[in-house]
Amino acid sequence: MTENTDLSEILKNYPDKWVALSGDSSKVVGVADKPAEAIQQAHAKNEPDPILTRVPKNYGTYIL
Amino acid sequence: MSVRFKLDYRKFPAQPTEPFPRRASVSRPVVPIALINGSLHVRNLALIDSGADYCIFHAEIGEQIGLQIESGKCLSFFGTGGQEQSAFFHDIKLEVGGHEISCFAGFSRDLLSLPYGILGQIGFFDKFKITFDYEKEKIELQSVGD
């Protein structure tokens, strides 16, 4: 499976949400306030094993 | 037996800033992993962060694999802003690049401004030799045990 590693476009419209990505990260298959809801949406779209990520209000700059 | 594999950096949205006015995206060593607790698992994006002491994930992610978050051992830690935060530690498994490791990982309700889980020194860097190649946007991992 070829993975999409450029998430700069597909994630930018979901600030402050949990997002479920398809297994190859090519598309958003769930958006919700809680991970469980995003997973349910993914399952309804026949994505049994989505990848979860939280989208912040601003990805900003991290110095950890 | 040692296992060696490569993973890709990922690009995320970014806004231009005064010192970096042309920046529209940012590449980070963020990789897909699976957190596993018995028969339950959940996939999540996580930042490979050499500056973090431990592996820490959002509490909501831990709940997806059936953890009772606050039943774990509590650790207070400090972010770069200096604010005190709490994480509760549990024994889980992590799967990365098809390789499974044991991990004593923290789960915190104080991470909501952070987009990713954190893969830190104890629980991840002690399991892999890690080489970052920013130019090629590749991360090479070689297992060192477990």
Side-chain angles (χ1 to χ4, degrees):
Chain A
M1 181 193 304
T2 302
E3 278 185 316
N4 171 41
T5 58
D6 185 349
L7 308 176
S8 59
E9 287 298 319
I10 66 173
L11 289 180
K12 69 181 184 183
N13 294 325
Y14 307 107
D16 208 22
K17 296 288 185 185
W18 284 94
V19 167
L21 298 168
S22 57
D24 62 359
S25 297
S26 65
K27 59 188 176 186
V28 170
V29 292
V31 180
D33 291 327
K34 300 285 185 186
E37 296 168 22
I39 290 173
Q40 282 182 352
Q41 292 174 23
H43 290 172
K45 293 175 182 169
N46 293 319
E47 284 287 346
D49 204 14
I51 302 170
L52 287 172
T53 187
R54 182 163 174 80
V55 178
K57 289 178 181 170
N58 184 343
Y59 274 90
T61 299
Y62 287 94
I63 300 174
L64 297 171
Chain B
M1 186 179 74
S2 181
V3 176
R4 187 191 299 244
F5 53 95
K6 289 185 179 179
L7 299 171
D8 295 302
Y9 279 59
R10 273 163 176 70
K11 281 195 173 100
F12 294 91
Q15 285 78 36
T17 57
E18 187 175 355
F20 301 100
R22 284 192 284 275
R23 192 175 86 152
S25 66
V26 58
S27 293
R28 292 176 177 152
V30 171
V31 298
I33 62 166
L35 293 83
I36 303 163
N37 179 36
S39 62
L40 299 176
H41 83 278
V42 64
R43 298 179 76 194
N44 189 207
L45 292 180
L47 175 71
I48 301 177
D49 181 6
S50 64
D53 290 334
Y54 306 104
C55 298
I56 309 267
F57 300 94
H58 296 86
E60 294 95 330
I61 291 294
E63 288 169 345
Q64 292 304 304
I65 54 172
L67 298 178
Q68 301 296 313
I69 300 301
E70 279 75 14
S71 71
K73 293 185 176 173
C74 183
L75 171 78
S76 294
F77 65 100
F78 295 90
T80 53
Q83 70 279 25
E84 187 171 359
Q85 301 170 319
S86 296
F88 298 88
F89 279 71
H90 296 264
D91 285 307
I92 62 167
K93 303 271 190 191
L94 294 182
E95 184 270 320
V96 56
H99 186 70
E100 193 172 295
I101 59 172
S102 299
C103 183
F104 191 46
F107 293 85
S108 176
R109 300 193 188 279
D110 299 326
L111 300 181
L112 282 180
S113 63
L114 196 64
Y116 330 105
I118 298 290
L119 299 170
Q121 294 288 336
I122 294 174
F124 196 75
F125 280 75
D126 59 356
K127 305 290 173 62
F128 296 103
K129 292 181 181 175
I130 304 170
T131 304
F132 296 93
D133 187 335
Y134 183 79
E135 185 180 2
K136 294 180 180 173
E137 299 193 340
K138 294 281 185 187
I139 311 137
E140 182 173 291
L141 297 96
Q142 181 178 359
S143 64
V144 294
D146 200 282

